[in-house]
Structures are given as C-alpha cells and as structure tokens.
Amino acid sequence: MRQIDHFISGSAGASSARFGDIMDPNNGVVQARVALGDAAVLERAVQAALAAQPAWAMTNPQRRARVMFEFKRLVEANMNELAHMLSSEHGKVIADSKGDIQRGLEVIEFCCGIPHVLKGEYTQGAGPGIDVYSMRQPIGIGAGITPFNFPGMIPLWMSGPAIATGNAFIIKPSERDPSVPVRLAELFIEAGLPEGICQVVHGDKEMVDAILDHPAIGAVSFVGSSDIAHYVYNRGVANGKRVQAMGGAKNHGIVMPDADLDQVVNDLAGAAFGSAGERCMALPVVVPVGDETAERLKAKLIPAIEALRIGISTDAEAHYGPVVTAQHKAKVEGWIQTCADEGGELVIDGRGFTLQGHEEGFFIGPTLFDHVTTDMESYKEEIFGPVLQMVRAANFEEALSLASNHQYGNGVAIFTRNGHAAREFAARVNVGMVGINVPIPVPVAYHSFGGWKRSAFGDTNQHGMEGVKFWTKVKTITQRWPDGGVGDAANAFVIPTMG
Ligand code: NAD
C-alpha cells in the first residue's frame, strides 16, 4: 500500500510507529497510509530548519522571490497531477481542486513581490544627526497546521509568506489528505529552495502538541475547527509563540426582497453545495427577508437543488462529490436528523443517496430545511456538509442581527439591488468578510483572509500584508552619526528626546 512519509530536509522519510488511513471517498476504501509522527520526528525537522534558516534569511529578497516565481511555474506545470491527487483524497471535483490550488498560487504571486513589500521605513533627521529606520525580519522557524478541506490553498496561504520573508517553515497537514502538501514541498525544492526551509511532518494531536511546545518554533498558523483553534491558540500563546488560529464558520446569505432571485439561486446552489458544503466560506444559511421573498425563493430553489448532479470527483459533469470520510458523512447526517427533530421543515432530504457503482462512497444528497430558528442546535453549530438551512427574517434589521449575533463570524453575503441597504449592511454587520451580491467573498491574495468572533483567534489575518506581518518581526534602528565631539554627559541619564 502507498505510504505517505514525512518530508524532512529535502527528502521523504523518518520512521513512525503509528499510521493513519487515507480513504478514497469515492469508493469508501483505504487507498494509502500516512505516517503519524511524534516529538522525535519534529525534532529532526527543527534541526534541519535551524541549520538552513540563517542563510535563507540572509539570501537577498529578489533571490527569494525568484524561487517563488519558479515554484509558481512548476505548480502550474503540475496542476493536473496535483488536482487529481487532491480530489482522490478529499473527494472534491477536479475543477474545484484546480480552484483550490489556484487560489493558493495567487498568494505565491503576491510573494513574488516580496522585495517591494519588505522595504521597511526610514526617517532622516529624526533628531540632530539622528536617522531612524525599521526593517521586518523573519521569526525564524514557523509552523502551519492545516485542515482537510483546502489541502492546496491553505498550505500555500502560509508557506508562501512564511518562506518569502526568510523563515524556515514546517507544515503539519490534515492527516486525511496529506499528499498535496508533500508534493508542494517537493516542488519548492525543485524550484531552488534550500533543503530544510519547507518541510512536512504528519500526525494528529501528538504532533500538534509537539509543535506547540517546541521552543525553537516562534510562530504557529492554524486553520481548522473552532474548539481546536482555541486550544492551539491558548497553548501556543502560553508557550510564548505568535499564533493565528482560524476556526469554523456558519455563513449567512441575506436575500432582500429586491434581489435578483435567479442569480441568488444560482449563487446559492454553488455556495451551499459546492465541495459538498465542506468550505469555511460556504453559505449554509439563507435568510430571506419577508415571507413573500421566502416563498418565491423556495419555489426557485427546490428545482435547482433537485437538478444538482452528484458524482465521483473525476466526473466532469458533477457539481460536487463525496464528503471526506465515513465519520464525516455520519456526522452530517446526524445533524440532518437533529435539525428535523428540532422542528426544522425537511424540504429535501439528502440522506440515503447512493451512486450507482460507488455504493460505498461517502455521498450525501443536497438537503434543504425551511423554518429553521435561532434556538436550534443545528443552526448554532457548523454542519460542514451539503445542507442549506433557511431562516426567515421579518425585516432587514432582523436579518442583520442574525448574522451579527451568531457565534461564528467568518463570512456573510447580502443579495440586493439597493446600494444603501448593502452599504449599511457592510458597515454594521459583525462579521469579518462580507460579500455584496458575491456568495463566497474569499478576498484576493493581496487583501487578507480572516473571520471574527469564534471564527478566528489571534489578531492577524492570513496573506496580504497581514500575512507578511504575521511571519516577521519589526526591528527599529535609531542611529546617530555626530560630527566629531562626544555627547552631552549631563543628559546621558534622561530619556533622550529628539529636540
Ligand atoms: P480539524 O480542527 O479537525 O483539524 C484541523 C487540524 O487540527 C488538522 O491538522 C488536525 O490534525 C489537527 N487536530 C485535530 N484534532 C486535534 C486535537 N484534538 N488537538 C490538536 N490538533 C488537532 O478541522 P478539519 O475537520 O480538518 O477542517 C474543517 C474545519 O476547518 C471546519 O470547522 C472549517 O470551518 C474550518 N476551516 C476554517 C477556515 C478559516 O479560514 N476560518 C478555513 C478552512 C477550514
């Protein structure tokens, strides 16, 4: 059986006593096994990083940028292979896997401009003969811990800025679909990155704890579910690390009475059910404003949902594929039952869906609930499957407060033709990323990605300038070049002012 090993110091290897199964979600069988590492495996990676990082940090930024350029070219050249690898472990359809990698590559494009971004600040003549300048220096060794749902994009969100700014980077990908991050690390080496600067260690909680406790790792970037994000944040910060930890989501799509409902239905179908709903920027809650809007929307949504095609991940006609594991399928179906038990009106039930020839695959049909209310557990929690819950709001203010008061605050969208309503909504909603007639408002690479409330712990977003800030620390130099004589001894013991 294929084995996925740690990738340390430029090659695969390092022994592990434990292994995890990698499933083929299309067929429900084990397709490979992944090494589950421990503190000893991490130590090997840290030692390789410590040996390589000082020279990488001293490599001038345009040379580091050239590695990024070449890496981008290599990823593009290997896009098909990477997308198939990704789909075979995750289950998302090939076009979606290409999008996953492409969104990550856009962060690499941003990193190709790292010399410009790292230029720093300079003040001439801040005092007599005194100049002040500041520079951004790498943290040293940074680590990334990533979720299963974007095994291309999220490792690239982190590795690009971490490496381009001069750090050594160690990634611990999801143990459910770890192959793409390993392949990306290989491509980094092929692009000219020195060994030890991008490494992959696999594992579960044991490896995560080893990362959080290792004194040589200065920064940890995490993306995953909220309880784990909170845990990672607390433990990492308690150990003196810089931590950004992105968590779960329950994004609302507000539909105003004046919205273009055909467009909304089209957008919702993709945003609620694409990638089987396994996106932190999915729209699993739709909030029509007014019962009349709700009825019109529902009448259009039902046939659109019934027309969705579920298929294996290589089916080019399929809108979405299986969910990632049997356990995740059981969890999503459990939430469908809970929502029905809580009084949600089950309009379309996706349970029991089977795909001919792939009866053991982890498929779930699209599911629609109406009359979901805010007191339901199934509304409060993230389901992370192809399940759309309709929560009716009487008016704009109620819709706004639904999104604002939910425990998660990752993304939100409003659909309207009214510029004033959209503007008001964007200004007041208590959520980190807002779409106006855009269902999945994932910011472009040169802006930054991050939610609010329980969707993110820590104060720095992913990528863009926020990413550069996260992976660097500022050093400020105050220099004086007096024109000969010594300083004023009488004033040497008071706080200097620039006069
Ligand atoms: P997860 O929390 O189960 O796993 C994320 C990472 O944490 C993995 O690398 C995993 O090995 C590790 N981990 C799991 N259990 C752990 C434990 N007990 N202690 C320490 N580490 C542990 O998340 P997932 O199921 O892989 O991914 C889906 C989740 O990620 C969803 O909640 C989704 O909303 C969220 N997500 C958030 C964003 C965002 O930017 N906010 C983006 C993508 C996904």
Side-chain angles (χ1 to χ4, degrees):
M1 181 175 291
R2 184 167 65 95
Q3 182 166 311
I4 301 151
D5 286 317
H6 311 288
F7 184 81
I8 294 177
S9 202
S11 55
S15 60
S16 278
R18 295 190 299 127
F19 293 88
D21 288 340
I22 304 297
M23 303 305 296
D24 165 3
N26 290 310
N27 296 302
V29 295
V30 177
Q31 59 158 312
R33 65 176 199 164
V34 60
L36 300 177
D38 55 15
V41 169
L42 179 68
E43 191 57 38
R44 288 187 50 181
V46 167
Q47 289 307 320
L50 284 171
Q53 193 267 336
W56 179 242
M58 293 302 287
T59 302
N60 69 43
Q62 59 270 34
R63 282 180 192 265
R64 296 204 301 260
R66 277 179 211 139
V67 173
M68 293 289 150
F69 274 109
E70 179 59 6
F71 175 68
K72 170 179 144 57
R73 193 192 66 75
L74 285 171
V75 173
E76 282 167 348
N78 289 276
M79 181 63 93
N80 258 326
E81 175 213 335
L82 284 162
H84 278 83
M85 184 184 274
L86 196 160
S87 287
S88 76
E89 293 181 355
H90 178 287
K92 64 176 79 172
V93 296
I94 299 289
D96 207 21
S97 290
K98 288 184 177 170
D100 182 331
I101 297 160
Q102 179 56 34
R103 288 309 297 254
L105 260 193
E106 290 167 12
V107 175
I108 301 298
E109 285 170 357
F110 173 85
C111 294
C112 291
I114 206 73
H116 174 71
V117 168
L118 287 179
K119 277 187 311 196
E121 296 175 331
Y122 190 93
T123 303
Q124 186 181 22
I130 293 177
D131 306 322
V132 180
Y133 60 98
S134 61
M135 56 176 78
R136 292 199 161 271
Q137 295 194 324
I139 301 282
I141 305 180
I145 301 163
T146 55
F148 82 86
N149 69 324
F150 278 99
M153 178 180 80
I154 295 177
L156 291 168
W157 276 1
M158 299 173 183
S159 57
I163 291 170
T165 53
N167 295 283
F169 180 69
I170 299 173
I171 184 163
K172 202 246 31 107
S174 169
E175 63 274 43
R176 288 181 258 179
D177 48 10
S179 289
V180 167
V182 175
R183 187 74 188 109
L184 292 173
E186 288 171 356
L187 292 176
F188 261 127
I189 299 290
E190 207 178 317
L193 192 68
E195 291 172 3
I197 298 299
C198 185
Q199 305 181 94
V200 187
V201 293
H202 300 292
D204 48 19
K205 177 172 167 47
E206 186 176 353
M207 181 57 90
V208 171
D209 287 347
I211 290 170
L212 295 172
D213 293 345
H214 201 296
I217 295 175
V220 175
S221 180
F222 173 93
V223 178
S225 52
S226 287
D227 287 348
I228 313 285
H230 197 210
Y231 165 79
V232 164
Y233 181 77
N234 286 337
R235 188 159 173 162
V237 167
N239 284 331
K241 299 183 197 315
R242 184 178 289 191
V243 184
Q244 56 177 192
M246 276 64 192
K250 190 95 182 199
N251 306 325
H252 293 50
I254 314 300
V255 183
M256 297 296 288
D258 66 349
D260 176 345
L261 286 192
D262 291 322
Q263 185 66 49
V264 170
V265 166
N266 190 49
D267 286 351
L268 268 180
F273 303 108
S275 199
E278 295 169 317
R279 289 183 183 139
C280 66
M281 289 295 274
L283 274 189
V285 177
V286 60
V287 184
V289 172
D291 275 333
E292 198 259 347
T293 311
E295 292 304 330
R296 282 192 296 129
L297 179 65
K298 194 165 152 186
K300 287 178 184 277
L301 254 181
I302 291 171
I305 292 173
E306 285 171 345
L308 290 175
R309 179 180 166 109
I310 299 117
I312 58 170
S313 43
T314 48
D315 176 353
E317 304 295 314
H319 293 107
Y320 73 87
V323 298
V324 67
T325 56
Q327 292 86 334
H328 192 60
K329 177 176 169 169
K331 184 178 149 199
V332 173
E333 292 190 339
W335 276 121
I336 295 174
Q337 187 59 48
T338 302
C339 190
D341 292 345
E342 290 176 316
E345 181 193 323
L346 186 49
V347 182
I348 301 173
D349 187 352
R351 291 171 297 178
F353 175 90
T354 50
L355 191 66
Q356 208 183 357
H358 300 272
E359 287 76 9
E360 302 306 315
F362 309 137
F363 297 95
I364 306 174
T367 297
L368 175 66
F369 280 100
D370 193 3
H371 297 290
V372 172
T373 52
T374 55
D375 55 332
M376 296 179 185
E377 285 306 308
S378 61
Y379 167 75
K380 294 177 193 164
E381 299 297 334
E382 181 181 45
I383 296 177
F384 222 55
V387 180
L388 179 60
Q389 294 175 301
M390 192 184 286
V391 182
R392 298 178 176 217
N395 52 43
F396 172 83
E397 288 297 331
E398 193 184 327
L400 175 70
S401 72
L402 279 173
S404 290
N405 293 333
H406 199 280
Q407 63 164 331
Y408 294 115
N410 214 37
V412 69
I414 184 167
F415 299 94
T416 181
R417 289 185 170 99
N418 182 327
H420 175 72
R423 186 171 179 273
E424 187 78 2
F425 184 82
R428 289 172 56 198
V429 70
N430 187 19
V431 171
M433 291 174 281
V434 181
I436 297 173
N437 298 314
V438 172
I440 306 180
V442 176
V444 291
Y446 41 96
H447 284 258
S448 71
F449 184 106
W452 288 3
K453 299 180 280 182
R454 274 181 59 77
S455 293
F457 304 91
D459 58 5
T460 318
N461 279 357
Q462 298 278 349
H463 65 70
M465 275 312 293
E466 292 269 301
V468 171
K469 285 180 182 162
F470 181 76
W471 295 109
T472 54
K473 49 197 178 192
V474 177
K475 183 180 280 178
T476 309
I477 294 102
T478 304
Q479 66 176 6
R480 179 170 60 176
W481 298 104
D483 61 359
V486 291
D488 177 357
N491 279 332
F493 296 96
V494 294
I495 182 85
T497 61
M498 297 302 171

